[in-house]
Amino acid sequence: MRNMTMTAALPAEPGRRPRRHARRAARRRELLKMAAALAGVALWLSGALAPTPAPPSGGYGPVTLIRQNPELPNGCEVTSLAMLLGAAGCPADKLTLYRDYLPKADFSRADGKCYAPNPERWYVGDAADPTGGWYCFEGPIVQAANGWLEDRGSDLRARALTGLDREGLERYARAGTPLAVWVTLNYAAPQRSQFFWLLEDGTVYYPYRNLHCVVLAGVEDGKYRVADPISGVTLVEKELFWDSFSAMGGRAVAVGRGG
């Protein structure tokens, strides 16, 4: 189917200061350290630097492979969600999830321009169409999952783990807590299409050509066990998997009872 960390450039090292300024310079450095620490606390409290989330509590069954083809050639995300819900004990049909629960929006044209929604909020196009389906990110998948769970009276809930770090990814895998994760086909470098559309706010959006979504199902023989809705159950080198996962923004979805 088809957290950016910013590092400020350090200033050049200043020349040696006269001795009478040494205490003043040291005091300034201490004040800067205090300000940086306070800023970090503020960001943590605001959720911008949230600690690595713990795996949700509750038992999980084995991940049963579900393939997206032939019904949903561009439906890897909702197929991965069906696998995730099944492992959490609330099985769902991929087509029902797609048709009745996943937020979807199609393309439109006006004044010779192509418009489409933001994949952060909608599935773009038609996943059943081999050439007319694109993708969505974790937001619509969480919405579909929670709609399904609520309709069945389940106390399970899905949550997005956007920006999951390497330690967190490993923790979930070793705990046996399955995750729907966004990677790339064959774990290659992300590629953007030359085709583009305009978002609702007029922003030009170049979609990924090789985005893919799979289920991280655990650790086996020192590798990640992955249920891939296209290629089946595979073992993937951790470094290769992490490179693809992190390049796509560390996007993941878990289903559980808190965490």
Side-chain angles (χ1 to χ4, degrees):
M1 70 168 290
R2 318 269 202 253
N3 284 333
M4 182 167 59
T5 302
M6 299 184 66
T7 305
L10 294 175
E13 182 177 353
R16 185 178 299 275
R17 295 175 180 270
R19 186 178 298 274
R20 66 177 181 273
H21 295 309
R23 289 184 180 177
R24 189 183 304 168
R27 177 60 177 165
R28 274 199 295 268
R29 286 194 295 271
E30 289 302 317
L31 289 173
L32 286 172
K33 289 180 182 179
M34 290 174 61
L38 289 172
V41 170
L43 284 170
W44 184 85
L45 290 173
S46 70
L49 290 177
T52 300
S57 59
Y60 295 87
V63 174
T64 300
L65 177 68
I66 301 175
R67 294 186 182 271
Q68 64 191 74
N69 292 316
E71 301 91 347
L72 298 174
N74 284 306
C76 58
E77 305 94 337
V78 76
T79 305
S80 293
L81 173 59
M83 289 191 267
L84 200 62
L85 290 168
C90 197
D93 173 65
K94 66 181 181 183
L95 292 176
T96 302
L97 287 173
Y98 176 66
R99 291 168 181 163
D100 299 340
Y101 291 91
L102 185 67
K104 302 177 289 293
D106 214 336
F107 294 87
S108 63
R109 291 187 178 273
D111 301 324
K113 297 177 181 178
C114 180
Y115 292 86
N118 191 329
E120 301 281 359
R121 299 175 54 200
W122 308 85
Y123 181 90
V124 181
D126 180 2
D129 186 338
T131 60
W134 286 86
Y135 56 80
C136 67
F137 289 121
E138 62 273 32
I141 291 300
V142 168
Q143 185 175 335
N146 287 336
W148 171 266
L149 293 167
E150 289 168 8
D151 282 355
R152 271 134 199 88
S154 173
D155 61 352
L156 295 170
R157 288 296 178 268
R159 63 168 176 167
L161 302 172
T162 309
L164 189 65
D165 61 17
R166 191 164 191 168
E167 177 187 350
L169 186 74
E170 179 72 8
R171 187 186 303 175
Y172 273 80
R174 290 196 173 280
T177 303
L179 296 175
V181 295
W182 277 254
V183 289
T184 52
L185 287 168
N186 300 317
Y187 306 98
Q191 299 173 7
R192 296 277 188 174
S193 174
Q194 294 183 342
F195 167 73
F196 66 88
W197 63 75
L198 299 177
L199 301 180
E200 298 93 326
D201 62 1
T203 301
V204 177
Y205 184 80
Y206 288 89
Y208 290 103
R209 293 174 48 202
N210 61 341
L211 177 147
H212 195 32
C213 185
V214 300
V215 175
L216 177 60
V219 177
E220 183 178 335
D221 296 334
K223 300 178 181 180
Y224 285 138
R225 187 172 187 271
V226 177
D228 187 318
I230 291 179
S231 60
V233 177
T234 60
L235 297 181
V236 182
E237 294 286 349
K238 290 183 178 181
E239 191 74 22
L240 180 65
F241 188 92
W242 167 254
D243 287 347
S244 179
F245 173 72
S246 60
M248 294 303 295
R251 299 172 181 269
V253 170
V255 173
R257 295 179 177 88

